[in-house]
């Protein structure tokens, strides 16, 4: 099993990076956030790798720039209904420290911002990861119960409470946030999002 690769970035295409290690090219599947932070082509990179195998796809390598991301990727897949694709999507939306904070606050709306994660799956993720250390250090042990959810997360949750589909709610809030003043609160975002939905 491969757990770490150190080599040169040869190519990136779609969701994969080709890493040359001593003349051998390894195709590593990465999340969008990892791909965006890779060095430029021809430069060296160290990837922390999770090796998986399935009957349909055969062997596949998943790469991360940090050990904490790899650990969170493995941990997420212990939740029923979360496979590799969804785990990557969650980590694209929430780096491990932010995921740990969302889980500690039981902020389902924040987790539901990840592509492919609906309200039920988000609720299952925060419930099943509640007592598991997502990151090492004080943040993993802290209990920031009184930390409020982000205004965007609260706005999405409010719209979903009004019966708006999760995907539409996220899209409308994102559009509203882009037009709103910096630091706009949830109430402002909800009103603006409702206007977006009425267009």
């Amino acid at each position: 099993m491969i757990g770490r690769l150190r080599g040169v970035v040869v190519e990136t295409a779609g969701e994969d990076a080709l890493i040359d290690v001593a003349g051998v090219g390894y195709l590593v599947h990465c999340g969008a956030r990892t791909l965006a932070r890779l060095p430029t082509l021809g430069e060296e990179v160290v990837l922390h790798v999770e090796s998986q195998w399935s009957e349909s796809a055969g062997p596949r390598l998943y790469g991360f720039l940090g050990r904490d991301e790899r650990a969170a990727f493995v941990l997420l897949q212990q939740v029923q209904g979360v496979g590799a694709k969804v785990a990557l999507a969650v980590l694209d939306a929430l780096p491990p420290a932010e995921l740990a904070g969302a889980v500690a606050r039981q902020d389902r709306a924040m987790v539901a911002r990840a592509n492919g994660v609906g309200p039920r799956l988000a609720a299952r993720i925060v419930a099943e990861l509640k007592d598991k250390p997502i990151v090492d250090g004080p943040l993993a042990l802290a209990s920031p119960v009184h930390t409020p959810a982000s205004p965007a997360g609260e706005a999405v949750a409010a719209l979903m409470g009004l019966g708006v589909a999760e995907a539409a709610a996220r899209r409308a809030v994102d559009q509203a946030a882009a037009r709103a003043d910096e630091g706009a609160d949830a109430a402002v975002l909800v009103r603006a999002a409702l206007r977006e939905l009425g267009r």
Side-chain angles (χ1 to χ4, degrees), residues 108-123:
R108 298 185 293 273
M110 181 67 74
V111 177
R113 297 185 70 181
N115 288 332
V117 178
R120 288 184 182 178
L121 184 54

Side-chain angles (χ1 to χ4, degrees), residues 109-180:
M110 181 67 74
V111 177
R113 297 185 70 181
N115 288 332
V117 178
R120 288 184 182 178
L121 184 54
R124 191 181 304 140
I125 289 171
V126 298
E128 293 191 23
L129 297 187
K130 184 178 180 181
D131 299 318
K132 297 182 179 179
I134 298 171
V135 294
D136 293 327
L139 182 59
L141 304 175
S143 180
V145 175
H146 302 296
T147 304
S150 71
E154 290 180 354
V156 170
L159 290 173
M160 289 167 60
L162 294 173
V164 179
E166 174 254 342
R170 280 206 323 259
R171 188 164 49 247
V173 169
D174 287 344
Q175 292 169 344
R179 298 173 187 270

